[in-house]
Every structure is written in structure tokens, then in C-alpha cells.
Amino acid sequence: MKRPWIITIAVCLLLAAVVAVAVLLPRTVPEAECSDVYRRYAGRDDVAAGYIRDYRINDTVSVDVTVLEAVTDSGWAMMCSDFNILPMTQEMLDFLGPNTVEVRYAPKDDYARPMDTAAMINNDVIAVHWIDSAIYIFRIEHERQFKAVCHEQYNESINLTTSAK
């Protein structure tokens, strides 16, 4: 009569331990599975690099995203040079606001070049967040991801602008 209770308690404790491990373990992507851009910037002191696999844009679209955020002014200058990002003039910042998110397309093999006009799918989406000195690279694999990512970044820019006022 006492044994079924002991077994039930042991199973419940084992189940609780499995759930705790699943919830508390960090969910990291192995570096070999991250983007080339992430691997190039990871470990640098002047740029914080992150990689998000299957970042959910909306109910039906998710993409892999590399996040690069400058920690120093020299890190931001180097990222702008590497991605061929022209600095925004003070007049433009005054007109658009510091929370502006610049979105552009760049070829998957070289983000410093102009977009590949032969096929949109040959490009990734680059979002430059000026206020954070950050660059987000959205890895595009399907046509439907272009519109979803651009719409999400547009909304992000609007939300940043309205929350700053």
C-alpha cells in the first residue's frame, strides 16, 4: 500500500526536475551554426554581437537575425565602414528624429554592396538603429519575409518615436 505513493512522489519529483532543467538551461546556438557576420564580430571589445535563430516577426514568419551593437564610437565607425553606411547628417537626424530605423537590402555575400536587383531573394534586410548604434541583419530565405521584416521595422521606428515624445 505504501509503495504506490513512493513511486508517485518519485515520478512527480523527476518530472519537476525535467521541467526545471528545460526552463533554466540557456538556449544558445552553437557558434558553427551562427552567421558569418556574427562569427566575425563575436568576441570583440568594441562591438557586442548576438545571433537569434527563428526570431518571430509575426504569426507566420520567423527569420534568423544577427545583432551588432557598437559599444564604443570606434566600433560604430568600423561597423558603418564595413556595411557602407553613410553617417546621418545632423539636419537629417533633426528632421527624422534620433529613433529613426533605416532599412535597406544588401547582397547576402557582401553587405557593403548595393542590393542585388536580379532577384530579391539574393538579398538580406539590414536595419540600422541609429539611436542604439546597432545593426540588425535579417537572413531572408523566402519572399514573404521581406515584407514582414520591413513592416516590423517600420512599426519599431514608429513605436520608438512615439514613446520618446
Side-chain angles (χ1 to χ4, degrees):
M1 199 59 136
K2 292 182 181 180
R3 279 201 166 140
W5 284 104
I6 293 172
I7 293 172
T8 303
I9 290 172
V11 168
C12 287
L13 289 174
L14 181 63
L15 184 61
V18 168
V19 169
V21 166
V23 169
L24 296 176
L25 273 181
R27 293 173 182 89
T28 59
V29 178
E31 189 168 328
E33 295 177 22
C34 295
S35 68
D36 292 337
V37 175
Y38 169 81
R39 287 194 297 271
R40 187 172 0 142
Y41 287 94
R44 294 182 60 108
D45 292 335
D46 54 352
V47 176
Y51 184 78
I52 305 166
R53 181 185 294 166
D54 293 329
Y55 174 72
R56 191 176 216 42
I57 301 294
N58 60 33
D59 291 342
T60 59
V61 176
S62 62
V63 295
D64 295 343
V65 183
T66 302
V67 181
L68 305 173
E69 186 170 353
V71 177
T72 64
D73 289 340
S74 62
W76 178 241
M78 183 226 8
M79 285 175 19
C80 287
S81 173
D82 290 351
F83 286 85
N84 198 22
I85 297 169
L86 299 175
M88 203 174 276
T89 65
Q90 188 59 45
E91 294 82 21
M92 288 298 291
L93 279 173
D94 292 343
F95 178 73
L96 296 172
N99 297 319
T100 298
V101 177
E102 177 185 338
V103 177
R104 65 182 177 97
Y105 305 126
K108 293 179 186 296
D109 60 343
D110 185 357
Y111 295 132
R113 290 191 357 236
M115 72 180 274
D116 182 345
T117 56
M120 286 300 288
I121 200 69
N122 293 339
N123 298 290
D124 285 337
V125 176
I126 311 293
V128 180
H129 288 237
W130 292 95
I131 191 86
D132 300 326
S133 300
I135 298 174
Y136 295 76
I137 301 129
F138 296 87
R139 184 73 176 174
I140 302 299
E141 296 171 355
H142 305 287
E143 292 280 341
R144 69 182 187 277
Q145 293 173 322
F146 279 105
K147 185 176 180 180
V149 167
C150 290
H151 186 263
E152 188 256 351
Q153 288 300 302
Y154 173 75
N155 284 341
E156 178 75 17
S157 182
I158 298 261
N159 290 339
L160 287 171
T161 301
T162 55
S163 67
K165 291 183 180 183

